[in-house]
Amino acid sequence: MQTKPSLLCRTAAILTASSLIITAPLAMATVDDAHSFAMEAAMPFVEQGFIVREDYWNGEVKSGQKLMVKHQMFKGNEYAFWLGSANSNVKFELKIYDEKGQEISIESKTSGMFASSRVNPPKTGTYTIVFSLASEKENGLFWALAYGYR
Amino acid sequence: MTAAATLLFVTSLGAQASKSGVQEFDPQAFPGQVVDDVVVPVPSEVFSVLDKLGEPNWQQELRDVDFPNTTDRTKLAMIFGVVVAEGFVAVQAEDTEKVKDIGREVIDMATALGLIKSVRPHAQAILDAADKSDWRSIRKEFDQTQKTVRDSMEQMKDMDLSQCVSLGGWLRGTGSVTSVVTKNFSADRAELLNQPMLVEHFLSTIGKMSPKMKEHNTISDVSKGLTFILEKMEGAVDGFTKDAVRDIGKTCDSLLLEIRSAK
């Protein structure tokens, strides 16, 4: 005769399975996941008419290490940048500077797995985007930086 | 992704910045890691500004998309970039038939490059969206098409070819911008040509290409043309003159003519 597992055992099994489902993707976090979170950050902007570019920057970086990319922007467009991470509990920093080194971000937000920043470039030219991700738990962090315009 | 929503924690970095006053940043003294990858803007990023500054006649900017048959993969890659850029012009002109012609040309070019399998879904989406005049979706698909082709080339270790796609697209997009600006010149419109970082990026990319690639006649001429364009951009300290815009346009047009030639 088969014995039924106790409620406690069944609950434990369900909790274990659930935690595996939840943690497995994070354990195998990739830059693709980071890009997915950047795209999640982009969703409210798309509703406001922003067109998301398909190309983006991505990579893995040491926690706390600052990164810099140069980007061409055109006066007359409004831009939004979305920084996503595949790692949880990350502290983001995302700032955009003009050629003279003045910060021009007009609205920056961080939220869980991503950060965003909005810019109205005062001139057409090259701008510098500086960002970092910091985690108390993990040393190497996957990131993706995407942008859109309207 | 929904997990992120449950972790919602919003702070305003902008507010912190304003509290500490004006922040200045010196890229030369940057202590971190510089990401060398450059994301080249799609033509519609510039076109959208030109639309805001007036109402260009985009129909006048459309060019023939009948390209010669060639087995030269360097030229094919550049032509692919040109075709996609022409697609962005056709979207701006809201010309359904032209968009469809370009969608079919994308299929032909992708076939010639041996990349039809990955490109066909995008090309089909372009044709379907053209039937619905869904310009936003078409723009997205053209962008995706170019990225798919470049990614496929990079997966096959054809980094040089991937850069040729970007080069062709940039030349066609910039050619259109100079044409629109020349027809209705203003300082604001001309300022859109201030893109020295992109030209430097392309020159640096050509500099890193294989010796065989650098010896390719078209690549060699593109390099010379870009050097001339960079001089014009760097010389426009007080803004672009109409002559400078015209010179950049002529250079783009002559390079595009060479890319399109059957030789």
Side-chain angles (χ1 to χ4, degrees):
Chain A
M1 189 180 146
Q2 270 188 320
T3 53
K4 282 185 180 177
S6 70
L7 181 64
L8 187 64
C9 282
R10 274 187 290 161
T11 308
I14 291 165
L15 283 174
T16 307
S18 305
S19 67
L20 280 173
I21 291 165
I22 293 165
T23 57
L26 290 176
M28 294 182 289
T30 65
V31 287
D32 288 340
D33 297 324
H35 184 243
S36 295
F37 282 110
M39 290 300 93
E40 188 174 334
M43 280 163 64
F45 291 82
V46 171
E47 286 164 14
Q48 293 169 40
F50 279 84
I51 297 167
V52 179
R53 282 299 316 281
E54 296 299 320
D55 274 332
Y56 56 92
W57 301 266
N58 63 50
E60 188 181 5
V61 67
K62 197 175 153 188
S63 173
Q65 167 90 62
K66 281 187 187 289
L67 292 161
M68 176 176 97
V69 300
K70 297 254 182 192
H71 188 56
Q72 171 76 39
M73 287 197 269
F74 301 95
K75 179 186 168 187
N77 278 339
E78 185 180 356
Y79 291 84
F81 291 85
W82 307 292
L83 177 63
S85 172
N87 306 80
S88 53
N89 299 317
V90 170
K91 193 179 169 192
F92 295 92
E93 191 176 32
L94 174 61
K95 289 181 177 178
I96 298 144
Y97 299 91
D98 68 11
E99 282 170 304
K100 290 178 182 165
Q102 304 278 333
E103 191 186 348
I104 58 157
S105 319
I106 52 172
E107 188 185 87
S108 298
K109 287 179 181 174
T110 67
S111 167
M113 312 281 278
F114 47 76
S116 64
S117 194
R118 224 156 42 86
V119 175
N120 275 321
K123 285 168 71 178
T124 291
T126 310
Y127 290 81
T128 306
I129 302 146
V130 175
F131 58 99
S132 65
L133 303 88
S135 168
E136 288 179 4
K137 290 180 183 170
E138 287 158 287
N139 195 30
L141 302 166
F142 290 106
W143 61 271
L145 177 68
Y147 80 97
Y149 65 96
R150 70 171 178 182
Chain B
M1 280 198 236
T2 49
T6 60
L7 295 169
L8 197 67
F9 173 67
V10 179
T11 62
S12 172
L13 298 175
Q16 286 172 8
S18 61
K19 273 178 204 165
S20 58
V22 177
Q23 294 191 356
E24 287 199 4
F25 171 75
D26 180 7
Q28 303 300 324
F30 183 64
Q33 183 186 333
V34 178
V35 180
D36 288 329
D37 293 343
V38 170
V39 172
V40 178
V42 283
S44 60
E45 284 186 54
V46 199
F47 296 168
S48 67
V49 179
L50 286 171
D51 272 347
K52 288 169 197 165
L53 294 172
E55 289 187 359
N57 185 343
W58 291 108
Q59 199 67 39
Q60 274 183 12
E61 304 307 326
L62 285 166
R63 300 289 177 268
D64 187 15
V65 285
D66 272 342
F67 291 94
N69 288 328
T70 176
T71 52
D72 181 339
R73 289 177 65 78
T74 303
K75 274 203 170 184
L76 277 172
M78 282 191 273
I79 292 172
F80 193 92
V82 173
V83 171
V84 170
E86 197 65 46
F88 282 109
V89 182
V91 170
Q92 222 66 26
E94 301 194 346
D95 186 328
T96 303
E97 286 312 309
K98 192 76 177 181
V99 168
K100 284 184 176 179
D101 286 348
I102 292 165
R104 287 186 277 268
E105 193 65 30
V106 162
I107 291 172
D108 290 348
M109 287 292 144
T111 305
L113 283 162
L115 300 171
I116 186 60
K117 198 176 169 187
S118 50
V119 169
R120 194 183 292 281
H122 298 306
Q124 191 56 52
I126 289 167
L127 296 173
D128 293 345
D131 280 330
K132 296 173 200 156
S133 299
D134 183 355
W135 309 115
R136 192 179 172 90
S137 294
I138 299 169
R139 272 192 197 98
K140 188 176 175 61
E141 288 297 337
F142 274 125
D143 195 1
Q144 279 185 337
T145 304
Q146 182 159 299
K147 179 166 168 46
T148 298
V149 163
R150 292 189 55 225
D151 287 350
S152 302
M153 287 170 168
E154 285 168 21
Q155 279 163 16
M156 293 188 289
K157 308 290 177 202
D158 260 338
M159 310 299 274
D160 292 351
L161 275 193
S162 164
Q163 293 298 334
C164 286
V165 175
S166 297
L167 253 173
W170 186 83
L171 284 169
R172 178 65 191 108
T174 306
S176 305
V177 172
T178 56
S179 176
V180 170
V181 174
T182 307
K183 283 172 189 146
N184 197 0
F185 185 84
S186 75
D188 276 349
R189 289 187 183 92
E191 193 192 315
L192 294 168
L193 292 164
N194 185 32
Q195 305 175 29
M197 188 269 286
L198 293 179
V199 181
E200 281 168 4
H201 159 71
F202 286 128
L203 283 168
S204 157
T205 299
I206 292 173
K208 289 175 194 159
M209 283 179 176
S210 68
K212 191 183 167 191
M213 203 70 167
K214 275 192 262 192
E215 283 166 17
H216 190 289
N217 283 344
T218 310
I219 293 291
S220 168
D221 288 345
V222 166
S223 179
K224 286 175 201 155
L226 288 175
T227 305
F228 176 77
I229 290 172
L230 184 59
E231 279 170 20
K232 291 286 165 189
M233 287 179 177
E234 288 179 337
V237 180
D238 298 320
F240 286 87
T241 61
K242 195 171 180 177
D243 283 345
V245 174
R246 196 175 285 126
D247 288 345
I248 292 171
K250 275 183 187 169
T251 307
C252 290
D253 288 346
S254 102
L255 293 174
L256 288 164
L257 201 64
E258 182 170 345
I259 291 168
R260 295 173 76 111
S261 72
K263 280 184 201 168

